[in-house]
Amino acid sequence: MPLDRVQQLELFTRMVRIRKFEEAIIAHNPVGHLSIGQEGAIVGACMALREEDYVTGTHRSHGHPIGKGADILPLMAEIFGKQTGICKGLGGSMHLTDTSKGLICESAIVGGGFPLATGAGLSIKVRKTDQVSLCFFGDGATNQGTFHESINMAAIWKLPVIYFCENNGYAVTTSVEKSHGQPDIARRADGYGIPGIIVDGQDAEAVYEVTQTAVNRARAGEGPTLIEAKTYRFDEHSNRLAIPIRYRSDEEISHHRTNRDPIILYRDILDERGLLAEAQAVEVAVTQLMEEAVQFAKDSREPDMQDLIDNMYSNPIHFPADAGFA
């Protein structure tokens, strides 16, 4: 079903939120793995989900909760390591998980989301709900054993899982062409007898449409789908991470920034549909929201040792009062 006017603006809003959230990170210097350039793939996929559907993410974790509709202030506070953060300031950039929006985890372990998303799919089937489970992962993770074991299990048991590859072309500094015998990740679906679909990850509505088809298939009990969204990260593997080798050209990066920016591409589409004024208003509102979020994060207190004890362990744990951590 095509997106209506409200949904189109919501899709644009979530993409802009990811972009400006990460631009704020750059401006204020916290460390993090940025999704700038990949917003179309993330939000296009999330727009096909309901709030109660499950999502597992990756170490590049900022976009997934924002794409699923999470509140911005606790996410920003988490990046700043504050007690008001979505994980109480104890998770940080690679674990930005908002369970109230169906996110099971963001994981610093490459390939760590596959078993969890598959297990969630099994839980859905056992409980006989019509939820789905969507697993985000990168191209590098597809060479992990957990990828193959999980998809094979989901295919055999027809679990309602969508395996969604954000193929940005590089695992840190290693290109897909140099590390994969078959560079089209989606073709690996043939080995498990499930659909494998390649989509332009910079075209947010195209991503939404193929994901919606996979979601409908999963809800109908027909099993998993493997989607490969060809996308691109504009910045380095992680901001503030010095990459000692030159692995891609300035011309390549410039081409994608100039011609393949998913937000610019979608803003042009909204302009053609007579929604440019609304899109510009979205950008102004999101800029104000990020300023509010940064101030909220700065004003929040840092966690202390008692927060660690309260949030990391089942309580009461009868921790010795004289241990010197109070």
Side-chain angles (χ1 to χ4, degrees), residues 49-78:
L49 303 176
R50 301 174 187 162
E51 185 165 301
E52 67 269 23
D53 291 330
Y54 297 122
V55 166
T56 61
T58 68
H59 60 280
R60 200 172 301 285
S61 73
H62 308 160
H64 305 141
I66 299 174
K68 198 71 165 40
D71 291 340
I72 295 296
L73 270 61
L75 298 180
M76 189 68 79
E78 186 64 33

Side-chain angles (χ1 to χ4, degrees), residues 135-157:
C135 178
F136 283 111
F137 55 95
D139 43 277
T142 62
N143 288 332
Q144 296 279 2
T146 52
F147 170 81
H148 304 280
E149 296 167 27
S150 297
I151 290 188
N152 189 53
M153 181 179 291
I156 292 170
W157 290 347

